[in-house]
């Protein structure tokens, strides 16, 4: 149902990174040394380029269907009832959808937690 994956949390990537000696990963002046070197080999000088954001319009998505309904359903789940005050979650969502308050960050954090919980603890 949900497809959320953080590439650097991939088990195979983690296992490989775990085998790299610390001196090739970090020192007092640099971080991600091996990763940056590998990127430089693959993509050249652009590897050292400053990070650019990848804006995702979550704020707007959460105000529209079907997304607001998906979040509302999730906020009424058994897991939500176990960890949160459901009435308060629904109030945050209602405020955001109506445009009364900008609550996208709070909503997104709780929603991602509930999705993660469902994937790793409720599914068998």
């Amino acid at each position: 149902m949900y497809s959320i994956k953080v590439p650097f949390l991939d088990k195979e990537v983690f296992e490989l990174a775990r085998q790299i000696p610390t001196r090739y990963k970090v020192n007092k002046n640099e971080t991600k040394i091996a990763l940056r070197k590998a990127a430089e080999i693959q993509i050249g000088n652009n590897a050292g380029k400053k990070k650019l954001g990848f804006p995702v319009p979550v704020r707007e998505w959460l105000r529209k269907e079907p997304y607001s309904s998906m979040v509302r359903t999730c906020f009424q789940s058994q897991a939500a009832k176990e960890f949160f005050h459901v009435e308060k979650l629904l109030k945050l969502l209602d405020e955001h959808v109506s445009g009364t308050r900008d609550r996208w960050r709070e909503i997104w954090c709780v929603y991602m937690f509930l999705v993660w919980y469902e994937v790793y603890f409720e599914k068998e």
Side-chain angles (χ1 to χ4, degrees), residues 38-49:
E40 185 179 313
I41 290 167
Q42 291 297 313
I43 60 176
N45 291 337
N46 287 333
K49 190 174 177 181

Side-chain angles (χ1 to χ4, degrees), residues 30-100:
E30 293 179 280
T31 61
K32 305 178 194 171
I33 298 168
L35 179 64
R36 292 176 201 277
K37 186 66 176 170
E40 185 179 313
I41 290 167
Q42 291 297 313
I43 60 176
N45 291 337
N46 287 333
K49 190 174 177 181
K50 187 176 176 173
K51 281 187 187 179
L52 299 175
F54 183 73
V56 179
V58 175
R59 175 183 283 120
E60 290 77 24
W61 290 344
L62 291 173
R63 288 196 170 112
K64 298 177 182 175
E65 292 297 338
Y67 309 109
S68 60
S69 290
M70 289 169 57
V71 172
R72 185 174 305 280
T73 300
C74 187
F75 279 7
Q76 294 171 321
S77 69
Q78 192 58 43
K81 291 173 187 170
E82 184 177 339
F83 295 105
F84 302 99
H85 294 280
V86 171
E87 310 79 37
K88 291 181 181 182
L89 294 179
L90 295 173
K91 182 178 180 193
L92 288 174
L93 184 59
D94 289 339
E95 289 175 348
H96 186 77
V97 169
S98 71
T100 308

